Amino acid sequence: MQSIISKGKNIEEAIHLGLKILNSSKSEVEIEILRMENTGFIGLGKKPAVVKLSLNNKQHVTEITDGYTSMEQIVEDLTVEEAATPVEGKYSHHTNSESKKGKAWVQDNVLFVMDSPSHYSTVTIGEGIQLRKNNIVVTDKSTVVSEKDDIILEYDKEKVQETQWEISINKEKLAVFLNVNPGYIAHYHIANVEPNEHIALVLEERREIKNTLTYQDVITKLQELQVAYGVHPTEILKALKSTDQRSYQIATGKNSIPGVDGRVEIVVDTNMTNSLKEDQHGKVDFRERKIIPAVQKGEIVAIIHPPIPGEAGILVTNEPLRVSKVHPIVVKVGDGIVMEADKLIATESGRPHIEQRGQLVKANIYPKLVHEGNINLESGNIRFSGDVEVLGEVQENMLVEADGDILVHRSVSEAKLDSLNSITIKGNVIGSEISAGKNNMLVAELGHLLGTMYEQIKRMIAVINQLTNSPGFKSNDFLITGLQPLIKILVEKKFKGFIDLAKKYQLVMERGKNYFEKDDGWVQISDSINRIFMSLSTTPITLDHLLDLSESIKGLYIISETPVEPNSYITVSDAIHSRLYCSGNVNITGKGCINTKVHAGGKLIISGVVRGGQVYGRLGVEVYEVGSNSGTKTTVAVPHDQTIKMTRVMEGAVLKIGNVSYTLQEDRKDVEAYLDENNQIVFK
């Protein structure tokens, strides 16, 4: 067998030179790897690769050393480390050749094959690799290979992925983000594979990160986006050095600091204590008298604090960010009060009364009217702008109205009691109408309307902003007439229910005109709604007018949603065939109520029975006994988010929670009813 020993800077080159000398193809020789190349350290100790090629023809045995005269010289050229320690991942071709028969393997991106008389090797071609066999590209995923085949493996040595990046601004225009995904150069080689009957060719990848984003790229894009405020150069530099996908906040606007509206600080006690108190046995002691707070002449009642202006912000586009206006306290002093500088001072002795709705504060000193006997035809009706205490009864067809509290020591029969604050009746209520906190009821009704209108005006402002920023919008068209023509179109086409809400608001305001002052916030909103939406204004309507109206509506809506004030309540012993309506809590302390309608804007507590009629508690209902043996319809109702608690409830009683009703089919004890997540009434 003719053999030669060939060397080259790597295995592939050594084989190529040897085949050229023998004038043979790879299929005509047997290849033994005598030494792998050694690159040395910074060029020192560098050694070439050495292979032995043997022709399959056994007639001639001639050695051509190509610079190597003997195997001894090759051994002499090996360093001690090379001789003692095999190179990891390199396979010695000349050792154990018998074990490689019928197998294929990969060494330094080269596919080697050694045939066997009884078996052929197979190869699976991995993604990204093209195998050319005898100059024909193999299209199948797997193929049979032989040492007689001329095999070439082709693949991309490297791939370049460019850096990807983008800049985004949040919808508030207060933050700019740079999202960067660095590029890379991917270097590929075919993984070495040990000899086996079937092998898989797999590309291995080594990535070299190349973040090509430049500072000028970022600055140019920021200029295109008109970002001119709050840029963070250090964050941009961090992004330029990023080696993984990340987001950087590269600019920050300045948020506006909201101001604080003026406020009133009440420095005396103004709340009246409920006179009807239960003792340790749950009984009401009617001997307890109402504790009425009082002030003396010259005493300071309240201090008025001025508003604190807010601070406007700056968008990242260097545009100013609007800050909400602040509003001072508007004080209306009534009888017995004067205002000196920032203080409210009593000029008369009596009970201080301070009512606040929005930024309007009404203050006065309530006098007290004590009626010694009964209220009847002889005494006449009583209308008083303070507290009223009736030591006797209120008889048929009589009326008692008070701006303060009403206290009746005995019964009320077929009469009407109306208070802006609280009503306490120590006797029975028969066939009468009792109403407390009427202005609070108006506020609740108006607040509900304002809540719906606020959402629609907010959407209207968003549509106008969108239209005014569109290319086809001609702002000059509205310089003279203002936005009113556009608002009219929006109300007719997009917000069809708004005018009905506005008209209903005006009707409620008309009904309660005696309870509101001209400069009250509720009245001012009514005037603004009328000017902007319901009449032709001589003054051009601007977007600022809408924004101011929106802020005012939001403020009063929040006030209308605040918890019930403690000075608005009704407390009675018993009620028969009557109507009780209160914006706050209702407490029936005696035997209960029969065929009576009760509406509590706060919590309803009935210590006795409810037989017939309808009772409702906005903040929940607690009753001792509900229903009757006679089958008289009795309904107990609460909103969807509240609970009904009953110690005893009879068959036929109707429970209503939200819009869901349930009629009990049997008597029950210790019932707590509420709506579950499926909008069904359940019992605890």
Side-chain angles (χ1 to χ4, degrees), residues 469-638:
N469 291 325
S470 64
F473 182 85
K474 297 179 181 178
S475 58
N476 292 335
D477 295 345
F478 297 93
L479 288 176
I480 299 175
T481 60
L483 291 174
Q484 205 165 38
L486 176 58
I487 292 172
K488 185 178 180 182
I489 294 171
L490 290 175
V491 167
E492 290 176 354
K493 302 294 183 183
K494 296 287 185 183
F495 304 93
K496 295 181 181 179
F498 184 83
I499 293 299
D500 289 338
L501 290 170
K503 288 179 178 178
K504 191 171 182 180
Y505 183 88
Q506 305 284 8
L507 287 173
V508 176
M509 285 297 300
E510 178 64 25
R511 196 170 74 233
K513 61 184 179 182
N514 294 331
Y515 297 98
F516 298 106
E517 300 288 341
K518 275 189 176 183
D519 50 2
D520 197 313
W522 304 92
V523 177
Q524 292 172 351
I525 284 177
S526 178
D527 293 341
S528 296
I529 290 172
N530 184 63
R531 186 177 74 256
I532 295 173
F533 297 100
M534 303 176 70
S535 64
L536 290 176
S537 175
T538 55
T539 304
I541 302 299
T542 66
L543 187 59
D544 281 343
H545 288 115
L546 273 180
L547 290 168
D548 289 341
L549 176 60
S550 174
E551 288 180 7
S552 299
I553 288 177
K554 182 180 178 182
L556 288 185
Y557 172 68
I558 292 172
I559 289 171
S560 72
E561 291 289 291
T562 53
V564 179
E565 295 180 5
N567 60 343
S568 177
Y569 61 84
I570 291 177
T571 302
V572 301
S573 177
D574 312 296
I576 303 171
H577 297 288
S578 298
R579 294 167 59 91
L580 278 61
Y581 201 109
C582 180
S583 63
N585 300 331
V586 175
N587 193 354
I588 300 177
T589 62
K591 295 179 180 179
C593 58
I594 298 174
N595 293 325
T596 293
K597 184 174 183 179
V598 181
H599 178 103
K603 192 167 187 177
L604 171 60
I605 299 177
I606 302 175
S607 301
V609 302
V610 177
R611 304 205 194 283
Q614 303 173 15
V615 298
Y616 170 88
R618 170 65 187 86
L619 299 181
V621 173
E622 293 183 14
V623 188
Y624 177 74
E625 183 177 310
V626 176
S628 66
N629 293 322
S630 63
T632 303
K633 185 177 180 180
T634 306
T635 302
V636 181
V638 293

Side-chain angles (χ1 to χ4, degrees), residues 122 171 218 311 354 412 520:
T122 57
K171 65 179 182 179
V218 177
E311 185 178 335
I354 297 179
V412 176
D520 197 313

Side-chain angles (χ1 to χ4, degrees), residues 253-285:
K254 179 184 177 184
N255 209 342
S256 58
I257 300 174
V260 179
D261 287 337
R263 62 185 180 89
V264 58
E265 178 188 356
I266 301 173
V267 296
V268 297
D269 186 14
T270 60
N271 294 326
M272 189 174 298
T273 305
N274 190 350
S275 64
L276 298 184
K277 298 180 180 179
E278 293 183 355
D279 60 19
Q280 59 183 350
H281 303 294
K283 301 295 184 180
V284 176
D285 185 359

Side-chain angles (χ1 to χ4, degrees), residues 307-323:
I308 302 172
E311 185 178 335
I314 304 174
L315 303 178
V316 292
T317 52
N318 209 29
E319 302 169 86
L321 178 59
R322 192 175 189 266
V323 64

Side-chain angles (χ1 to χ4, degrees), residues 161-173:
Q161 174 66 51
E162 297 296 333
T163 299
Q164 298 175 337
W165 61 281
E166 66 173 358
I167 293 178
S168 60
I169 304 176
N170 69 348
K171 65 179 182 179
E172 294 84 9
K173 294 186 178 181

